[in-house]
């Protein structure tokens, strides 16, 4: 329409910014029972990501209290920096000052993205490189139609019951773990189904970990509710105790033959020949809501992964997205189990956690939690993005590199407690060999950093692992030099005597002279007295 009040009102409506965001579709369709939170940014399985600065804004994060809230000002929205002219309101202008402010906000969000995705923190350290890694699913269920069965060496089982968390793990890691394994590393899958009522150790661990929480809620009137949950630490303690005690036969009862558990030092843990990681999934047919520690469907531990799922309806969690409560599906622990496995085996930290060196603590930010990630309550995707896969491989390289650096640092400081530098104790014949090995070690360390920056993790791991030979050669050279180092007891001499020390010496000398004079005088007096008695 042209002219009139109606036309002006319609023109004003057309000038209003359009709010929009993206939802998961296709292969990333929301899992039943999960609320899908919109997103304005995306990270792909392949090596790409994008942020739509004109979409949104979307606010999401903790509902009642907590850190990591993403508000409408967390992402630099273009409309917030739009400055309209005084005469023509249809076109906007961007003065220089506002452009600089907008660019500063863009740089800030790029920096947060680097901390979260490009160079994320480690969940734990070190992360061992395992030559033969075996993931074993222990599917514990109280379904009366399921009996205890163990798969063969190839992971095949007749009448295999469905287990969505296990299928998700195999799909995301790939056949034989091809998406995540390093060169020379093998990954195998195996599983077993255990009837909960027939496994006395499973029942004992489950009963010992059961807890209850009482809360008062207001629903028309005050009402007291009792919620049951599992203590993950107690459950882990019980399961690990049963596994370590081989005479109990728990490992064989759940189909895990050859279970080994031992302590590893920091130098040894960077590499293992074999490692079996059990994934315990308690698949319960109760309709009540049972979680781990009241809030989690799966928990990561250094030796295993523990998960639980029930037939409960969708439950609300203490998070909000666009002022709506976020829900979860207690009957499907696929995302939580996959996330816990990535933490246990590869040390991948959750997407919303980042360790800050300035504050020396872990900080929370759910900025990228609505994109593809198995971590957090906002995303419904089970996909492993390139950032998570790269972090898993990078952590293994870091661990191998740190092990060599720690060993050579220990060797270099071996004679520091004696006040000697390493070059002062080396024999002339060993000094040249030491310098050559040291230069090769520095070269390999530099090449490791170069290939890490090129995302060539296999070559970077090759150089990091080959540093062990140079470290061993340096250790042998230092040990041979130590054969000619002997300890002795001596007096400490002050090269610059002070006035105080001079007075001490004078006082000590004078005291000795006086004592000698008194001693001689007393001896002479006794002698004269003895001679006088003889004359009488």
């Amino acid at each position: 329409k042209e002219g009139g009040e109606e036309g002006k009102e319609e023109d004003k409506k057309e000038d209003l910014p359009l709010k929009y965001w993206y939802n998961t579709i296709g292969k990333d369709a929301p899992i039943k029972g999960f609320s899908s939170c919109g997103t304005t940014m995306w990270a792909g399985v392949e090596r790409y990501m994008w942020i739509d600065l004109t979409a949104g804004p979307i606010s999401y994060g903790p509902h009642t209290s907590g850190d990591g809230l993403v508000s409408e000002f967390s992402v630099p929205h273009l409309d917030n920096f739009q400055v309209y002219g005084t005469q023509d309101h249809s076109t906007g202008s961007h003065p220089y000052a506002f452009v600089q402010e907008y660019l500063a906000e863009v740089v800030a969000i790029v920096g947060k993205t680097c901390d979260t995705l490009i160079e994320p923190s480690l969940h734990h350290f070190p992360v061992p490189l395992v030559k033969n890694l075996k993931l074993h699913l222990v599917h514990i269920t109280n379904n009366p139609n399921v009996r205890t069965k163990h798969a063969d060496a190839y992971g095949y089982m007749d009448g295999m019951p469905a287990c969505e968390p296990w299928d998700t793990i195999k799909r995301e890691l790939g056949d034989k773990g091809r998406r995540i394994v390093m060169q020379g590393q093998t990954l195998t899958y195996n599983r077993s189904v255990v009837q909960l009522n027939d496994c006395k150790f499973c029942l004992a661990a489950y009963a010992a970990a059961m807890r209850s929480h009482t809360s008062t809620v207001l629903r028309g009137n005050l009402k007291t509710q009792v919620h049951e949950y599992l203590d993950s630490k107690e459950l882990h303690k019980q399961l690990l105790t049963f596994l370590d005690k081989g005479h109990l036969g728990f490992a064989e009862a759940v189909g895990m033959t050859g279970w080994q558990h031992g302590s590893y030092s920091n130098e040894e843990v960077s590499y293992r020949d074999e490692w079996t990681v059990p994934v315990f999934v308690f698949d319960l047919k109760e309709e009540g809501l049972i979680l781990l520690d009241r809030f989690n469907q799966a928990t990561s531990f250094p030796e295993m992964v523990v998960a639980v799922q029930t037939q409960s309806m969708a439950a609300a969690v203490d998070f909000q997205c666009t002022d709506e409560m976020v829900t979860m599906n207690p009957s499907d622990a696929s995302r939580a189990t996959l996330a816990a496995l990535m933490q246990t085996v590869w040390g991948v930290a959750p997407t919303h956690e980042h360790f800050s060196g300035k504050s020396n603590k872990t900080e929370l930010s759910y900025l990228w939690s609505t994109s593809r990630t198995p971590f957090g309550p906002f995303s419904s995707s089970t996909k492993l993005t390139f950032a998570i896969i790269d972090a898993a491989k990078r952590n293994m390289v870091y661990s191998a590199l740190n092990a060599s650096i720690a060993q050579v640092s220990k060797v270099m400081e071996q004679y520091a407690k004696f006040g000697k530098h390493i070059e002062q104790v080396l024999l002339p014949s060993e000094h040249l060999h030491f310098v050559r090995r040291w230069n090769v070690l520095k070269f390999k360390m530099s090449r490791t950093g170069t290939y890490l920056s090129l995302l060539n993790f296999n070559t970077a791991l090759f150089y990091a692992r080959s540093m062990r030979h140079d470290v061993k050669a340096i250790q042998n050279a230092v040990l041979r030099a130590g054969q000619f180092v002997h300890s002795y007891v001596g007096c400490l001499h002050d090269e610059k005597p002070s006035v105080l020390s001079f007075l001490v010496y004078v006082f000590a000398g004078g005291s000795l002279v006086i004592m000698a004079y008194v001693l001689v005088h007393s001896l002479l007096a006794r002698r004269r007295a003895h001679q006088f008695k003889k004359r009488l």
Side-chain angles (χ1 to χ4, degrees):
K1 298 181 180 180
E2 296 181 1
E5 297 295 333
E6 296 181 356
K8 293 181 180 179
E9 292 179 359
E10 187 170 335
D11 292 340
K12 291 181 180 180
K13 292 181 180 180
E14 293 179 356
D15 291 340
L16 294 177
L18 177 63
K19 292 185 178 181
Y20 68 96
W21 49 80
Y22 302 87
N23 288 324
T24 54
I25 57 175
K27 295 182 178 180
D28 294 311
I31 300 176
K32 183 179 180 182
F34 278 91
S35 58
S36 179
C37 184
T39 182
T40 61
M41 54 192 69
W42 193 256
V45 176
E46 301 297 333
R47 202 174 303 280
Y48 76 93
M49 63 176 67
W50 53 259
I51 303 175
D52 191 344
L53 298 179
T54 61
I58 299 179
S59 176
Y60 52 91
H63 182 248
T64 56
S65 62
D67 299 329
L69 176 67
V70 178
S71 65
E72 58 181 359
F73 301 104
S74 299
V75 178
H77 199 267
L78 189 60
D79 289 337
N80 295 335
F81 300 88
Q82 185 82 3
V83 181
Y84 293 96
T86 57
Q87 297 180 355
D88 188 4
H89 295 275
S90 61
T91 59
S93 60
H94 296 81
Y96 179 78
F98 287 91
V99 171
Q100 294 301 310
E101 182 180 356
Y102 177 73
L103 293 178
E105 294 291 337
V106 172
V107 171
I109 194 174
V110 170
K112 293 178 182 179
T113 301
C114 293
D115 293 338
T116 306
L117 296 184
I118 305 302
E119 191 69 20
S121 303
L122 280 76
H123 177 261
H124 62 268
F125 191 82
V127 179
L129 172 67
V130 185
K131 184 177 181 180
N132 299 312
L133 178 62
K134 182 178 180 180
L135 303 181
H136 192 108
L137 169 70
V138 182
H139 185 193
I140 304 175
T141 179
N142 59 354
N143 188 348
N145 299 325
V146 176
R147 297 289 92 188
T148 300
K149 295 181 180 180
H150 305 320
D152 56 13
Y154 300 97
Y156 177 75
M157 179 192 308
D158 291 331
M160 183 183 300
C163 184
E164 188 61 30
W166 186 243
D167 296 337
T168 301
I169 291 174
K170 295 176 63 176
R171 181 179 66 251
E172 294 304 317
L173 299 184
D175 184 27
K176 299 182 179 180
R178 57 179 176 80
R179 289 193 60 198
I180 202 168
V181 295
M182 303 291 283
Q183 188 174 0
Q185 186 183 20
T186 60
L187 190 150
T188 57
Y189 305 101
N190 208 332
R191 62 173 299 184
S192 57
V193 180
V194 179
Q195 172 57 241
L196 178 61
N197 298 320
D198 296 339
C199 179
K200 58 182 180 180
F201 298 107
C202 302
L203 285 172
Y206 181 81
M210 181 60 68
R211 301 287 188 272
S212 61
H213 175 76
T214 304
S215 59
T216 303
V217 296
L218 179 61
R219 292 179 179 175
N221 53 0
L222 292 178
K223 184 179 179 180
T224 301
Q225 292 183 347
V226 179
H227 302 275
E228 291 184 340
Y229 68 95
L230 294 174
D231 187 349
S232 62
K233 294 183 179 179
E234 183 65 26
L235 186 60
H236 164 256
K237 176 183 177 182
Q238 296 292 332
L239 294 175
L240 187 61
T241 301
F242 293 150
L243 286 174
D244 289 340
K245 294 182 179 180
H247 62 278
L248 297 178
F250 177 61
E252 289 74 13
V254 296
M256 294 178 55
T257 57
W259 163 262
Q260 295 181 356
H261 176 262
S263 59
Y264 297 86
S265 62
N266 289 340
E267 290 80 11
E268 296 173 345
V269 80
S270 62
Y271 179 81
R272 295 184 188 179
D273 287 329
E274 294 182 0
W275 187 20
T276 300
V277 181
V279 181
F280 290 93
V281 177
F282 286 82
D283 188 4
L284 308 177
K285 298 305 176 182
E286 281 81 359
E287 295 183 357
L289 178 63
I290 299 178
L291 298 175
L292 295 172
D293 302 326
R294 294 179 54 206
F295 302 108
N296 304 319
Q297 289 183 286
T299 307
S300 167
F301 292 99
E303 307 87 2
M304 66 181 67
V305 174
V306 179
V308 61
Q309 60 185 21
T310 63
Q311 298 301 315
S312 174
M313 301 296 292
V317 295
D318 193 21
F319 291 91
Q320 60 84 23
C321 178
T322 60
D323 297 330
E324 295 183 2
M325 294 295 295
V326 177
T327 59
M328 59 174 290
N329 183 10
S331 63
D332 188 359
S334 301
R335 296 183 64 253
T337 306
L338 177 60
L341 183 65
M342 298 301 298
Q343 290 176 314
T344 297
V345 181
W346 291 279
V348 178
T351 310
H352 55 273
E353 293 183 2
H354 172 70
F355 181 80
S356 175
K358 296 180 180 179
S359 59
N360 198 25
K361 65 179 182 180
T362 301
E363 297 180 350
L364 300 181
S365 176
Y366 293 98
L367 182 65
W368 279 91
S369 295
T370 57
S371 178
R372 279 175 168 170
T373 176
F375 298 97
F378 300 105
S379 176
S380 59
S381 175
T382 57
K383 296 295 182 180
L384 295 180
T385 63
F386 75 94
I388 297 178
I389 298 297
D390 289 352
K393 296 181 178 181
R394 189 186 297 111
N395 293 345
M396 289 185 283
V397 179
Y398 282 162
S399 299
L401 186 63
N402 178 76
S404 299
I405 294 177
Q407 292 180 11
V408 75
S409 298
K410 186 177 180 180
V411 171
M412 299 296 288
E413 297 174 357
Q414 185 172 355
Y415 298 101
K417 57 184 177 181
F418 302 110
K420 295 290 185 180
H421 192 267
I422 187 66
E423 294 185 353
Q424 295 176 327
V425 299
L426 286 174
L427 298 177
S429 58
E430 295 286 346
H431 186 269
L432 180 60
H433 177 68
F434 175 84
V435 172
R436 289 175 176 174
R437 281 291 185 178
W438 181 258
N439 291 334
V440 173
L441 183 70
K442 291 174 60 179
F443 169 76
K444 291 181 178 180
M445 190 182 305
S446 175
R447 299 297 289 179
T448 302
T450 300
Y451 282 104
L452 273 176
S453 63
L454 297 175
L455 304 178
N456 190 343
F457 300 107
N458 287 324
T459 307
L461 183 62
F462 167 76
Y463 279 104
R465 293 277 298 163
S466 64
M467 289 172 58
R468 296 175 301 158
H469 305 289
D470 305 290
V471 172
K472 186 175 181 180
I474 292 176
Q475 287 178 336
N476 294 334
V478 173
L479 290 177
R480 287 193 296 268
Q483 298 176 358
F484 301 94
V485 178
H486 304 282
S487 60
Y488 64 91
V489 179
C491 298
L492 296 177
H493 300 282
D494 194 353
E495 299 179 357
K496 296 181 180 179
S498 60
V499 177
L500 181 61
S501 61
F502 176 75
L503 293 177
V504 171
Y505 293 149
V506 171
F507 178 76
S511 300
L512 291 176
V513 172
I514 293 174
M515 292 175 61
Y517 173 77
V518 172
L519 179 62
V520 172
H521 186 270
S522 62
L523 292 176
L524 292 176
R526 291 180 181 179
R527 183 177 181 182
R528 286 195 296 269
H530 181 69
Q531 291 178 356
F532 180 74
K533 290 180 180 181
K534 284 184 177 182
R535 292 176 183 177
L536 295 177

